[in-house]
Amino acid sequence: MKRLSGRLYEIAQDIIDERLGGGYDPEDDLTMALIEARHDGGPLPAGMVLGCVRQLIVTGMVAPSVFIGNMFVHLSRDRALQEHLRRRREDVPAAVEEFLRLYNPYRGMARTARRDTVVGGQEIEAGDPIALVYTAANRDPRVFDDPDEFVLHRPNITDHIGFGRGTHSCPGAPLARMMFRITLEEALARSEFDLTGDPGMAKWAEWGTNHVPLEFITL
Ligand code: HEM
């Protein structure tokens, strides 16, 4: 794991070195923007820029792949919904949003409380470590009716926190939503699809599939 983690650092460093060679506009290129950013009069520490680029590679790879698998498992098991979306492509973005609520790959992220507070009756002291369990919040029965059911066009779907909230909410959300919409549109247009075996679950922190044996059925 350490070796492969090191390889990701190398890939990130290559991306940075390419930018340092010139020809990239910080307005268009995130890595270049990080290199050019100034804080307290100086550049960001090189290690921080490297860590950010590496983090973007990891987040861009893992969550989307497990989540796409989750959507395909659901649609293989609910052929009526699959058919509905094939006929009504305009409903695909709403379906993606409900999938994000139902099958969020992030079980949790960590925070440290900055001050004493009370959340849901639970006292939290400054300095306490907190796990934000997005998957549980997205199925909170006090917020979502029939929380374990897929409901297309839920009236309060925007209450889901699949991409987090606030300062650290997911900067990749627009890209991820576009990726999922296009993936589903392309797959639905191709043919009907179904599982040919049991999906395998990833053993990563992200919740979801790491392989989904699928058959595209020629109509
Ligand atoms: C299924 C797809 C994805 C989901 C569900 C997801 C969800 C999340 C969540 C819940 C957070 C934490 C927010 C918080 O701490 O409050 C996060 C952070 C982040 N995501 Fe995503 N994400 C996805 C895809 C992506 C993609 C495609 C990228 C980039 C290419 C990305 C980049 C990031 C980064 C850099 C952060 C850290 C932000 C920060 O700490 O300020 N994510 N994401």
Side-chain angles (χ1 to χ4, degrees), residues 2 28 31 33 47-48 50 69 106 111 123 143 150 174 183:
K2 206 168 174 181
D28 296 335
T31 305
M48 185 185 278
L50 178 65
Y106 283 108
R111 288 288 193 281
E123 285 184 18
V143 180
F150 178 98
T183 302

Side-chain angles (χ1 to χ4, degrees), residues 30 52 55-68 100 103-106 108-111 132 134 160-173 175-177 179-180:
L30 180 61
C52 271
Q55 176 71 354
L56 276 168
I57 299 171
V58 175
T59 49
M61 247 175 9
V62 181
S65 64
V66 298
F67 179 74
I68 285 170
L100 281 164
Y103 301 123
N104 196 271
Y106 283 108
M109 297 239 178
R111 288 288 193 281
L132 304 178
Y134 303 101
H160 86 73
I161 56 164
F163 289 115
R165 278 284 154 86
T167 311
H168 289 281
S169 63
C170 178
L175 174 66
R177 285 189 167 108
M179 227 189 301
F180 305 146

Side-chain angles (χ1 to χ4, degrees), residues 89-167:
R89 294 295 159 74
E90 67 277 16
D91 280 346
V92 167
V96 165
E97 220 49 41
E98 177 66 345
F99 284 136
L100 281 164
R101 182 193 70 81
L102 208 47
Y103 301 123
N104 196 271
Y106 283 108
R107 275 181 261 232
M109 297 239 178
R111 288 288 193 281
T112 306
R114 298 177 68 178
R115 56 180 171 81
D116 295 353
T117 187
V118 178
V119 177
Q122 173 69 50
E123 285 184 18
I124 297 170
E125 289 179 16
D128 277 354
I130 304 164
L132 304 178
V133 189
Y134 303 101
T135 37
N138 281 351
R139 293 188 182 214
D140 186 342
R142 292 165 301 183
V143 180
F144 299 106
D145 294 338
D146 300 320
D148 297 331
E149 299 300 319
F150 178 98
V151 178
L152 194 61
H153 299 298
R154 267 183 193 274
N156 64 340
I157 186 63
T158 52
D159 287 342
H160 86 73
I161 56 164
F163 289 115
R165 278 284 154 86
T167 311

Side-chain angles (χ1 to χ4, degrees), residues 79 82 86 189-194 215-219:
R79 297 291 289 272
Q82 188 188 130
R86 186 167 289 112
R190 189 165 159 190
S191 76
E192 287 179 24
F193 52 83
D194 202 359
E215 177 184 34
F216 281 82
I217 304 153
T218 312
L219 299 174

